Amino acid sequence: MNVKIEGRRKIRAKVTIPPDKSISHRSIMIGSLARGTTEIENFLFAEDCLSTINCFKKLGAEIEIKNDKVIVKGKNYSLSAPQQVLDCGNSGTTTRLLLGILSTQEFEAVLDGDSSLRKRPMKRVTQPLGQMGACFEFLEKEDCLPIKVKGKKNLKPIDYTLPVSSAQVKSALIFAALKAEGKSVIKELPMSRDHTELMLKSAGADIATCFENGFYKIEVMPSNLEALKIKVPSDISSAAFFIVLALICEDSEVIIENCILNPTRTGIIDILKQMGADIKIKNVQIQNGETIGTIVAKTSSLRGATVDKNDIPRIIDEIPILAVAAAFADGKTIIDNASELRVKESDRIKTTLEMLKNFGAECYELENGLEIVGSRDNLKAGVVNSYNDHRIAMAASILACAVDGESTITNAECVSISFPNFYKILLGHSKKV
Ligand SMILES: O=C(O)C1=C[C@@H](OP(=O)(O)O)[C@@H](O)[C@H](O)C1
Ligand SMILES: C=C(OP(=O)(O)O)C(=O)O
């Protein structure tokens, strides 16, 4: 699908942003592993989370949709051998967390995914899970899907420091550690999103977290999980597109309610504010152990900034849209120490730079990041390939709204991975000036 966007738009609206993808995945997983019936309100019905539902149905979990809620009947960590390949689609989160969960099950299962997911590295989870006693076989290419996994009851506990911060790796190990024969210790620096820890604690797991010698440390004891009642807040990674839209378009304001504001996710707000953005946070509350609130963003004059390396995990999915904001800012923005971007749905260092260049921006590739020399005057309409990466398609579409002329985004259907009604909301709420 190609989407054409007439530029020079403005937006003044309250926007309903879709539910959080990370929490939606985890709600199905924890619900399937718990004792009792989990009820999920405001679940994200987007392709990545549907891949998680489909995999857990194949593993015997009973999952149904009733009055807009997802109801999951838990299997108390006793899943059934799947009769078919578990298709993880485009979703890294589904794959890596599932590899941790299946490490605790005694049957064999095969996981596969689409052509993008088949290129993404998996040894980062299979290596430590192998140390715990699970067996993995790469069926086609070393480090990649398709993978055969055979788990084990009574895994060995692990004491492991993550080489690179990753919520997916950490979560895979925690799910396995819940069924190990003793206490596991997992450390990371800097800390990545902690939804798994928070949700598992509310499900009754014996998990303790603290900071020690600068490292974020998680101690996991063998535990059973109890069913949860979850209301999923809006996803700040999706909200980020509309926040930046308001900042870079003239005479604009966007209001986003019930958005997740967990401090491991709000790097985008902090960095945009550092760049001079007019963003206000209101109505801060705690819901299901997570901080949520209202975000108000208005048209702003932005200046370049250098992103602190400790903030990279806090903005990892927002870097393409942060780069768009940087293209409109005065001066240089440097986003370095972000080698993880090379192994996302696309090489997001390359695809973000190609996107910006197609709109006329001055920007350069660093070994592990990007440098953008912002200037609104350089920017004009362009034709951009998303390379089937949802975050690139959405970032390009936002940029297109703020420049003169008509732009085209090719392969734009991939927005359905995380934000199926993105274009309806974008083109419905923003108007030509
Ligand atoms: O755990 C999660 O829900 C996620 C973790 C991040 O990946 P990494 O753990 O690979 O950094 C992020 O990029 C992804 O979109 C969602
Ligand atoms: C990287 C992402 O997701 P995943 O790793 O789950 O595919 C993303 O949504 O930007």
Side-chain angles (χ1 to χ4, degrees), residues 21 47 50 57 66 78 91 100 117 137 141 145 163 168 194 197 223 243 253 257-258 288-289 325 333 379 409 421:
K21 179 159 78 75
E47 273 179 48
L50 294 176
K57 280 188 172 169
K66 254 194 207 157
S78 187
S91 174
L117 192 57
E137 191 186 334
K141 196 171 151 233
L145 289 177
Q168 294 177 2
D194 63 348
E197 297 89 302
S223 310
I243 295 170
E253 177 177 297
E257 292 177 335
N258 300 316
N288 291 129
T333 294
L379 304 171
I409 319 298
N421 56 354

Side-chain angles (χ1 to χ4, degrees), residues 21-22 26 93 96 166-168 193 316-317 340 344:
K21 179 159 78 75
S22 293
R26 286 158 174 79
T93 309
R96 297 199 179 111
S166 162
Q168 294 177 2
R193 67 191 69 191
I316 193 69
D317 292 341
E340 279 299 292
K344 296 293 182 188

Side-chain angles (χ1 to χ4, degrees), residues 145-166:
L145 289 177
I147 298 175
K148 188 189 278 181
V149 48
K150 185 166 188 308
K152 195 170 176 277
K153 283 210 165 79
N154 313 325
L155 291 170
K156 284 187 273 214
I158 193 165
D159 186 338
Y160 191 73
T161 302
L162 269 62
V164 180
S165 293
S166 162

Side-chain angles (χ1 to χ4, degrees), residues 84-374:
Q84 293 150 310
V85 169
L86 299 171
D87 181 1
C88 301
N90 189 249
S91 174
T93 309
T94 308
T95 315
R96 297 199 179 111
L97 274 58
L98 200 45
L99 287 168
I101 290 167
L102 292 177
S103 295
T104 67
Q105 306 291 308
E106 285 199 309
F107 51 76
E108 262 184 16
V110 175
L111 275 67
D112 204 353
D114 70 7
S115 59
S116 149
L117 192 57
R118 273 179 163 221
K119 293 194 193 105
R120 296 177 65 186
M122 295 297 156
K123 267 195 181 162
R124 51 179 59 200
V125 285
T126 60
Q127 191 270 329
L129 291 168
Q131 273 181 42
M132 297 176 81
C135 293
F136 299 93
E137 191 186 334
F138 298 113
L139 297 177
E140 286 188 18
K141 196 171 151 233
E142 187 75 1
D143 199 15
C144 292
L145 289 177
I147 298 175
K148 188 189 278 181
V149 48
K150 185 166 188 308
K152 195 170 176 277
K153 283 210 165 79
N154 313 325
L155 291 170
K156 284 187 273 214
I158 193 165
D159 186 338
Y160 191 73
T161 302
L162 269 62
V164 180
S165 293
S166 162
Q168 294 177 2
V169 175
K170 164 174 84 170
S171 302
L173 297 182
I174 297 173
F175 277 119
L178 286 173
K179 291 294 151 192
E181 282 185 313
K183 178 166 99 176
S184 294
V185 181
I186 299 153
K187 290 188 205 136
E188 84 176 330
L189 178 71
M191 180 184 180
S192 63
R193 67 191 69 191
D194 63 348
H195 308 301
T196 303
E197 297 89 302
L198 293 174
M199 293 175 77
L200 286 172
K201 280 181 192 171
S202 10
D206 189 351
I207 293 182
T209 51
C210 67
F211 287 91
E212 193 180 273
N213 302 326
F215 280 82
Y216 170 63
K217 178 171 131 183
I218 311 159
E219 293 179 323
V220 187
M221 293 297 289
S223 310
N224 290 320
L225 303 179
E226 304 305 333
L228 290 172
K229 272 201 168 43
I230 304 163
K231 186 170 177 196
V232 184
S234 289
D235 194 330
I236 193 163
S237 301
S238 298
F241 297 104
F242 284 87
I243 295 170
V244 172
L245 180 69
L247 301 181
I248 63 176
C249 290
E250 56 190 271
D251 188 27
S252 293
E253 177 177 297
V254 162
I255 302 173
I256 296 156
E257 292 177 335
N258 300 316
C259 192
I260 183 119
L261 294 174
N262 176 319
T264 61
R265 300 287 300 280
T266 48
I268 185 69
I269 310 258
D270 297 343
I271 293 159
L272 288 171
K273 278 189 171 173
Q274 202 183 315
M275 293 169 77
D278 181 350
I279 301 177
K280 295 208 167 49
I281 305 292
K282 298 179 177 168
N283 307 329
V284 176
Q285 305 162 47
I286 303 288
Q287 178 184 288
N288 291 129
E290 292 279 8
T291 309
I292 64 162
T294 301
I295 302 170
V296 183
K298 293 185 186 167
T299 307
S300 304
S301 299
L302 300 174
R303 50 183 183 271
T306 296
V307 176
D308 188 308
K309 68 174 191 296
N310 292 317
D311 280 334
I312 294 297
R314 298 177 65 229
I315 53 159
I316 193 69
D317 292 341
E318 291 73 71
I319 291 174
I321 190 62
L322 177 64
V324 167
F328 285 85
D330 284 332
K332 204 189 272 179
T333 294
I334 298 175
I335 306 166
D336 203 354
N337 304 290
S339 55
E340 279 299 292
L341 292 180
R342 301 240 184 242
V343 290
K344 296 293 182 188
E345 284 84 324
S346 65
D347 174 341
R348 286 185 180 158
I349 295 180
K350 285 207 184 312
T351 49
T352 300
L353 288 169
E354 184 180 314
M355 180 256 296
L356 293 180
K357 283 185 184 152
N358 288 344
F359 286 112
E362 184 185 344
C363 49
Y364 305 96
E365 182 168 351
L366 308 176
E367 196 187 336
N368 293 320
L370 9 98
E371 180 180 313
I372 299 140
V373 184

